[in-house]
Amino acid sequence: MARGPNPRKAAAKPGSGTRRRVRAGKAKPLVGLALAGGGPFGAVYEIGALMALHESLEGVDLNNLDVYVGVSAGSFLAAALANRVHVSEIYGIFIEGEEEEGALTPEVFMRPAFREYLRRARSVPPILLDSLWQYVRQPFARGALESFAALGRAIPTGIFDNDTIHQYLHAVFTQPGRTDDFRRLQRRLYLVATDLDSGESVSFGRPGHDHVPISKAVQASAALPGLFPPVEIDGRSFVDGALKKTLHASEALNDGAKLVICVNPLVPYDAGLAAEKGRGRHRRS
């Protein structure tokens, strides 16, 4: 006589299959990449580190992570990786200076800010007249130095024109398969700049700030005071995002990233600790 299925075994099978399905359906932990500031040399350092990670981390696609965070020089690289520009292509553009369409040349960063110079020059006559009038009215109460201090407003806020950076990146990110819109990216991208008026860090790519073009956000995040003029966005002025923190890895952690790969060329240096270790070596010798 043929025996029927054992009820206990039959009941166990659905349960075990359910457990397997739960494990298989568990969400994959989020992985992020945070790239810090550091100027041109910092960008070169970060590209070298990214090339090393690309060659050594088997199975890790730097164009297929979940969250990208960029600050200052790192904003260029984070925006490019989130737009699926391969790290080898970034290396060719930045390091080898490939003379192909989209190559990044020094002229992009080092074009004089003629419009800023002209705007400031136009402000000199009215400021000078007002300063003279203030001095004539109260020559002893104010003094010459205080009366003419307003002329400081005529000093250019930057040497180089960073609008060329915005134009260059807009041309790169509007090519087929790429986008200059945070909201159309397949991956999350946050580019951090500093609000010049409030001193607060602003993360472009977050709700409320994701309508700003990616190229414009990079321009703001890399607007190093003294070299580049502040970038005006929605009536606010923004400068380099590294003025408060160089890395801002917390942007990825706040999104739930369980692993964040951080590349920071600005390594702190403790002179006191170095001197102490030096004395220790002398004592041992």
Side-chain angles (χ1 to χ4, degrees):
M1 181 183 293
R3 296 181 178 180
N6 190 320
R8 294 182 179 178
K9 291 183 178 180
K13 287 180 181 179
S16 59
T18 302
R19 284 195 295 271
R20 282 196 295 270
R21 285 195 295 271
V22 170
R23 291 193 190 100
K26 188 180 294 185
K28 180 177 71 70
L30 298 181
V31 179
L33 175 66
L35 301 174
F41 291 108
V44 171
Y45 174 95
E46 290 179 326
I47 292 170
L50 291 172
M51 286 293 294
L53 290 171
H54 168 67
E55 294 174 357
S56 60
L57 296 181
E58 185 176 350
V60 176
D61 183 359
L62 294 178
N63 291 114
N64 197 32
L65 303 180
D66 300 294
V67 189
Y68 296 87
V69 182
V71 184
S72 192
S75 65
F76 288 86
L77 309 181
L81 290 170
N83 253 302
R84 305 199 63 80
V85 180
H86 196 270
V87 64
S88 60
E89 185 178 348
I90 297 174
Y91 173 84
I93 292 174
F94 276 85
I95 307 300
E96 295 183 348
E98 294 179 351
E99 295 298 329
E100 59 182 25
E101 185 178 358
L104 191 63
T105 60
E107 289 77 11
V108 174
F109 299 98
M110 301 180 66
R111 181 177 298 176
F114 291 120
R115 284 185 297 179
E116 173 70 3
Y117 300 161
L118 181 60
R119 186 170 69 89
R120 296 291 173 169
R122 286 174 176 172
S123 69
V124 171
I127 295 176
L128 181 58
L129 288 174
D130 183 66
S131 299
L132 284 170
W133 174 243
Q134 295 296 332
Y135 180 68
V136 170
R137 286 180 58 195
Q138 299 174 313
F140 301 105
R142 297 176 62 90
L145 185 61
E146 183 179 354
S147 297
F148 290 94
L151 285 171
R153 299 199 302 267
I155 298 175
T157 56
I159 301 173
F160 302 113
D161 184 5
N162 53 1
D163 194 55
T164 57
I165 297 174
H166 162 54
Q167 295 171 6
Y168 166 80
L169 291 176
H170 178 73
V172 172
F173 294 154
T174 51
Q175 293 179 6
R178 300 171 186 171
T179 179
D180 200 24
D181 190 333
F182 284 101
R183 297 163 294 188
R184 298 183 62 185
L185 285 172
Q186 295 181 355
R187 305 296 176 185
R188 305 176 207 177
L189 171 65
Y190 303 122
L191 304 176
V192 183
T194 303
D195 188 317
L196 188 58
D197 300 310
S198 67
E200 296 298 320
S201 297
V202 174
S203 180
F204 292 104
R206 296 271 179 202
H209 298 287
D210 55 356
H211 65 285
V212 178
I214 296 172
S215 54
K216 195 72 174 179
V218 173
Q219 178 189 1
S221 181
L224 184 63
L227 285 182
F228 299 107
V231 178
E232 185 173 335
I233 299 175
D234 295 337
R236 308 286 292 184
S237 296
F238 294 92
V239 293
D240 198 301
L243 292 185
K244 295 197 68 175
K245 289 193 297 184
T246 58
L247 191 60
H248 291 273
S250 57
E251 292 291 333
L253 296 173
N254 291 340
D255 266 23
K258 299 302 181 183
L259 172 65
V260 181
I261 303 170
C262 302
V263 183
N264 186 359
L266 300 178
V267 180
Y269 175 71
D270 189 337
L273 182 61
E276 182 181 343
K277 289 186 175 181
R279 287 195 297 272
R281 285 197 297 270
H282 289 310
R283 283 198 298 270
R284 286 194 296 272
S285 61

